[in-house]
């Protein structure tokens, strides 16, 4: 099997040959068939150091033995019956212990589903239909929060999103005064969504004090404050960014690491809001007041892996190691930039590393400015790294995890140096 032939077959049955638009690549994508720890192998047997880690879901590394064992055991014991089961209770108890905002938990099918549900809860609780969301923050692919996910556009990056739905989203910069004015001017806004890391898992960091400031503001105004911790939950700290920074939102959306690196999602939050989902409650003649279904919510196989992941991740040791590895990676990349006299910056919070090629600082820049890298440079960087066996996430960003070692980081930095040298030689990078 080779990548090229697989792509030809794929393009006959999958639109563009892919199952997710970001996996598209010209002339063809790379098809992977095995992964272990921080490494993965493509169908041609080529090995890659992985800084994508399952779109940031596999902080424990690929095929972690304890997760694999827990899932395999559950597969033979009771894969899925669509009933209540003990593991969902145990998993929910873990999230309530770890996340300051979690008084109740409702599991969902993905991060996108979690944000859909959280917004419905926000509308139901506030009685207002509109949401305020921050420019460039990503909350999944559904209609309700798509407008503004591409920074600087104030529109949805997709056909097929009804204008009436987009009209329900107000997009602002992460500026407390601007947000306060927007809330005052538009009394239909009832809910506020914030990606807890800042846009794209922190490639656009939030201004200092923003999270505590917006908490203070919404505590006064009564708007429902939702932190999207799909990336940051259990990565920034066992209890997410909210526990690390000591700021408690009303609702939190989770997926990826919080679901043990398995398919799923969750909304956690204040009991009085979450209990709108309870069939024991009645509001306006409706019981439950907010309806939510989903065949695979809290599927036992996922719950088995997630509970095991909660046990391993609850001490914070894994996160500390991943942070140290990301630090080493950022230092290594910045040394390459310094040595090769490239005006660029490697930066990032927690276990992330982002690259900015417009100068040596991102201070004062908004999401649109930070994320404006030339397509030629992005492709050159990606192709150069892939040809040397290094895979990034989102092309100019990386995440690290438990299986990254100093040796793997240093090996990747060497490949990065060679790739940057080539880009200078070829005039792609000036
Ligand atoms: N919110 C954030 C912050 C995300 O990064 C993502 C996915 N990358 C989502 C929501 C959507 O999650 P999913 O892909 O599981 O639907």
């Amino acid at each position: 099997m080779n990548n090229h032939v697989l792509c030809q077959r794929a393009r006959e049955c999958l639109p563009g040959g892919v199952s997710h638009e970001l996996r598209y690549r010209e002339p063809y994508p790379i098809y992977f068939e095995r992964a272990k720890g921080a490494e993965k192998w493509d169908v041609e047997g080529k090995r890659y150091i992985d800084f994508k880690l399952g779109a940031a879901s596999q902080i424990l590394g690929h095929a972690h033995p304890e997760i694999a064992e827990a899932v395999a055991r559950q597969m033979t014991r009771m894969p899925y019956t669509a009933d209540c089961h003990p593991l969902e209770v145990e998993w929910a108890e873990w999230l309530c212990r770890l996340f300051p905002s979690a008084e109740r938990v409702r599991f969902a099918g993905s991060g996108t589903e979690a944000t859909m549900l959280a917004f419905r809860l926000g509308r139901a609780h506030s009685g207002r239909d509109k949401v305020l969301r921050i420019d460039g923050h990503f909350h999944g692919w559904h209609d309700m929060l798509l407008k503004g996910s591409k920074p600087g556009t104030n529109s949805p990056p997709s056909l097929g999103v009804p204008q009436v739905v987009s009209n329900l989203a107000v997009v602002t910069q992460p500026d407390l005064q601007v947000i306060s004015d927007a809330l005052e001017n538009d009394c239909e806004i009832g809910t506020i969504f914030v990606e807890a890391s800042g846009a794209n898992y922190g490639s656009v960091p939030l201004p200092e004090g923003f999270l505590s400031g917006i908490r203070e503001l919404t505590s006064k105004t009564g708007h429902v404050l939702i932190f999207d911790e799909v990336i940051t939950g259990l990565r920034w700290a066992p209890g997410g960014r909210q526990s690390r920074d000591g700021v408690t939102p009303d609702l939190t959306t989770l997926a990826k690491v919080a679901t043990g690196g398995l398919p799923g999602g969750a909304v956690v939050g204040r009991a009085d809001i979450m209990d709108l989902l309870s069939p024991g409650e009645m509001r306006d003649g409706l019981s439950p007041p907010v309806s939510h279904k989903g065949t695979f919510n809290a599927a036992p196989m996922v719950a088995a892996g997630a509970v095991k992941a909660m046990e391993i991740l609850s001490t914070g040791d894994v996160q500390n190691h991943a942070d140290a590895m990301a630090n080493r990676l950022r230092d290594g990349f910045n040394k390459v930039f310094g040595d090769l006299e490239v005006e660029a910056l490697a930066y990032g919070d927690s276990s992330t590393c982002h690259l900015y090629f417009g100068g040596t600082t991102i201070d004062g820049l908004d999401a649109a400015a930070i994320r404006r890298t030339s397509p030629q440079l992005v492709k050159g960087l990606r192709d150069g790294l892939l040809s040397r066996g290094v895979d990034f996430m989102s092309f100019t960003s990386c995440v690290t995890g438990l299986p990254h070692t100093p040796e793997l980081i240093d090996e990747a930095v060497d490949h990065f140096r060679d790739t940057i040298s080539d880009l200078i030689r070829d005039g792609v990078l000036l």
Side-chain angles (χ1 to χ4, degrees):
M1 228 180 328
N2 73 41
N3 288 304
H4 188 209
V5 171
L6 256 181
C7 177
Q8 284 172 341
R9 279 171 54 197
R11 287 187 181 170
E12 293 299 316
C13 54
L14 301 166
V18 293
S19 302
H20 184 305
E21 64 196 37
L22 292 181
R23 296 177 200 159
Y24 185 84
R25 177 172 175 260
E26 285 294 352
Y28 49 80
I30 296 168
Y31 293 82
F32 288 91
E33 60 177 1
R34 190 163 64 86
K36 178 78 190 146
E39 292 162 285
K40 56 188 181 181
W41 289 264
D42 72 10
V43 292
E44 297 174 12
K46 183 176 160 74
R47 170 249 190 198
Y48 297 77
I49 306 173
D50 191 15
F51 292 102
K52 183 187 286 170
L53 289 185
S57 64
Q58 311 294 311
I59 196 171
L60 293 173
H62 300 294
H64 186 281
E66 288 180 73
I67 307 293
E69 210 255 341
V71 174
R73 192 167 357 104
Q74 193 60 36
M75 185 68 189
T76 52
R77 191 181 166 86
M78 186 180 84
Y80 183 67
T81 62
D83 289 307
C84 298
H85 60 94
L87 284 167
E88 67 185 351
V89 182
E90 220 183 305
W91 185 11
E93 285 171 347
W94 265 116
L95 294 177
C96 288
R97 272 196 298 276
L98 293 173
F99 284 81
S101 68
E103 294 175 343
R104 298 279 190 277
V105 178
R106 172 56 67 90
F107 293 108
S110 65
T112 295
E113 284 192 24
T115 64
M116 282 164 66
L117 176 60
F119 188 18
R120 182 178 290 178
L121 284 165
R123 291 194 299 266
H125 178 78
S126 65
R128 300 172 184 193
D129 283 346
K130 282 190 174 176
V131 62
L132 185 145
R133 46 145 306 140
I134 313 294
D135 187 39
H137 288 205
F138 183 68
H139 303 295
W141 61 266
H142 59 84
D143 290 354
M144 305 299 307
L145 294 164
L146 209 53
K147 175 172 146 188
S149 58
K150 186 158 188 223
T153 60
N154 202 32
S155 62
S158 175
L159 298 178
V161 178
Q163 188 61 47
V164 286
V165 173
S166 284
N167 291 346
L168 295 177
V170 173
V171 184
T172 73
Q173 292 300 323
D175 177 316
L176 290 171
Q177 190 55 53
V178 170
I179 291 173
S180 170
D181 292 346
L183 298 183
E184 214 160 282
N185 290 337
D186 192 339
C187 62
E188 288 177 57
I189 299 172
T191 304
I192 298 180
F193 255 92
V194 179
E195 196 181 334
S197 53
N200 288 91
Y201 50 105
S203 69
V204 187
L206 290 166
E208 193 69 33
F210 179 79
L211 291 178
S212 54
I214 196 143
R215 174 67 285 180
E216 210 176 302
L217 176 66
T218 50
S219 295
K220 284 194 203 123
T221 60
H223 290 83
V224 177
L225 179 62
I226 303 175
F227 284 178
D228 184 338
E229 295 230 41
V230 164
I231 296 266
T232 52
L234 282 118
R235 177 175 284 280
W236 258 235
R241 177 144 194 190
Q242 58 192 264
S243 73
R244 196 193 75 177
D245 288 26
V247 183
T248 306
D250 299 311
L251 299 176
T252 304
T253 53
L254 297 170
K256 298 192 192 255
V257 178
T259 51
L262 295 156
V267 180
V268 308
R270 264 168 53 185
D272 62 325
I273 304 179
M274 294 295 292
D275 283 344
L276 290 168
L277 293 163
S278 168
E281 298 282 322
M282 169 80 82
R283 204 74 60 87
D284 294 341
L286 288 171
S287 177
V290 171
S291 178
H292 168 242
K293 300 187 176 81
T295 298
F296 288 110
N297 298 346
M301 272 192 334
V302 173
V307 165
K308 183 52 73 182
M310 303 292 103
E311 282 169 32
I312 301 169
L313 291 165
S314 60
T315 65
D317 293 345
V318 169
Q319 293 86 344
N320 290 340
H321 171 79
D323 290 4
M325 291 303 103
N327 218 5
R328 191 178 181 101
L329 193 67
R330 293 190 291 263
D331 286 351
F333 288 170
N334 279 325
K335 178 147 189 348
V336 170
F337 290 143
D339 291 348
L340 300 180
E341 296 177 1
V342 177
E343 294 266 304
L345 177 71
Y347 64 99
D349 194 5
S350 182
S351 45
T352 67
C353 172
H354 306 282
L355 300 178
Y356 174 61
F357 285 96
T360 53
T361 176
I362 54 162
D363 289 352
L365 297 179
D366 66 14
I370 290 176
R371 297 186 61 76
R372 197 186 299 128
T373 310
S374 88
Q376 200 196 2
L377 175 54
V378 170
K379 179 149 178 59
L381 181 71
R382 187 184 190 201
D383 287 352
L385 288 168
L386 283 174
S387 72
R388 293 176 169 88
V390 177
D391 195 18
F392 275 18
M393 177 161 162
S394 318
F395 315 149
T396 54
S397 298
C398 299
V399 290
T400 52
L402 175 65
H404 284 110
T405 59
E407 292 72 29
L408 284 172
I409 298 291
D410 296 349
E411 186 188 335
V413 170
D414 285 345
H415 294 314
F416 183 77
R417 179 182 295 275
D418 292 343
T419 303
I420 295 294
S421 297
D422 281 1
L423 292 173
I424 296 169
R425 181 201 62 204
D426 297 342
V428 178
L429 203 51
L430 300 176

